[in-house]
Amino acid sequence: MKKLSVKLRHTLHFDFMISKELDFAIRDIADFPKPGIIFKDITPILKDAKLCTAVIDEFVKQLEGIEIDVVAGIESRGFLFGLMLANRLQIPFVPIRKKGKLPFTTVEEPCELEYGSAILELHEDAIIPGQRVLIHDDLLATGGTVSAATRLVQKLDGVVAGYAFVISLDFLNANDKLKQVSQNIISLVSYK
Ligand SMILES: O=P(O)(O)OC[C@H]1O[C@H](OP(=O)(O)OP(=O)(O)O)[C@H](O)[C@@H]1O
Ligand SMILES: Nc1ncnc2[nH]cnc12
């Protein structure tokens, strides 16, 4: 009992620390790329190698017990930690890209995001039917992008095993949408 509470305290402490450190590193840029948007710039995190490792460590810890076969990362910022995470887990990484960038045959889905719209694509052989896919992006805002990614995975008969974000903008309420697909939603720093 004592052991458990010490472990729990340690876990809570660590989660809190990483979240604080990330919040400290993330730079807010007002009115980018459009007036009214406060852009969360993650480039300061990328300059800090120890913090990048801590991000991956924390993802791995929070993913414990969740079966994942593949990490799907969304262009472009979802490639940064997505590949690092897949490599740490020693599982495949597959890129979800904006239309016209992937060279092989693709499936595609339109998406609306906080400040625009796009069409996302995934190679048709990226996922073997039944594989359990973790969808990763740097940031969850309205959830439009990640919902399109979900549809792409499902089009290939993959199973969405969960979602992992560095940042979530909780005031945009995208979590409820995602919870209908998977309860496994990880976000290291949330803005209420
Ligand atoms: O939840 P949503 O409202 O859909 O917004 C989130 C998406 O917006 C950003 O990508 P962006 O399209 O700006 O592309 P980038 O990663 O290439 O900068 C971010 O990296 C997510 O993919
Ligand atoms: N506020 C924001 N900051 C960074 N990336 C985003 N993608 C969608 N909304 C964003």
Side-chain angles (χ1 to χ4, degrees):
M1 192 62 191
K2 195 175 171 207
K3 239 186 184 168
L4 185 71
S5 61
V6 169
K7 190 175 170 210
L8 190 66
R9 250 204 331 269
H10 176 75
T11 307
L12 291 174
H13 180 67
F14 191 76
D15 291 355
F16 177 74
M17 290 301 287
I18 180 98
S19 169
K20 280 280 154 216
E21 273 190 69
L22 288 171
D23 179 42
F24 189 72
I26 291 161
R27 183 164 56 180
D28 282 0
I29 311 283
D31 300 322
F32 182 88
K34 285 187 174 165
I37 302 291
I38 298 174
F39 190 87
K40 298 286 181 192
D41 178 18
I42 61 161
T43 59
I45 303 173
L46 306 177
K47 286 166 73 182
D48 183 336
K50 285 207 171 79
L51 190 51
C52 288
T53 302
V55 165
I56 301 303
D57 288 347
E58 187 61 19
F59 277 145
V60 170
K61 195 183 83 190
Q62 294 198 28
L63 288 167
E64 210 180 296
I66 303 170
E67 198 191 321
I68 307 163
D69 301 310
V70 178
V71 175
I74 306 174
E75 180 174 355
S76 60
R77 283 174 272 147
F79 295 170
L80 301 167
F81 290 106
L83 179 60
M84 278 195 258
L85 177 61
N87 191 261
R88 173 75 76 82
L89 296 171
Q90 288 291 285
I91 60 175
F93 172 84
V94 297
I96 292 177
R97 297 210 62 180
K98 287 164 188 158
K99 191 172 170 63
K101 300 289 184 184
L102 286 172
F104 187 56
T105 320
T106 61
V107 286
E108 64 178 57
E109 276 292 327
C111 72
E112 297 291 331
L113 58 147
E114 197 187 8
Y115 43 66
S117 62
I119 294 174
L120 296 182
E121 290 185 306
L122 180 59
H123 274 156
E124 67 173 12
D125 65 350
I127 292 160
I128 299 166
Q131 274 188 322
R132 295 179 58 81
V133 182
L134 177 78
I135 296 179
H136 163 74
D137 208 343
D138 68 319
L139 180 143
L140 174 68
T142 63
T145 303
V146 87
S147 294
T150 299
R151 294 193 298 276
L152 287 173
V153 168
Q154 292 172 339
K155 264 188 174 172
L156 297 180
D157 295 322
V159 177
V160 177
Y163 299 96
F165 307 99
V166 179
I167 303 167
S168 62
L169 305 184
D170 288 357
F171 54 88
L172 292 172
N173 298 319
N175 259 26
D176 296 344
K177 230 184 305 184
L178 302 187
K179 271 189 196 145
Q180 292 167 19
V181 181
S182 172
Q183 294 289 322
N184 301 320
I185 305 171
I186 294 170
S187 140
L188 304 186
V189 54
S190 306
Y191 295 95
K192 311 276 177 211

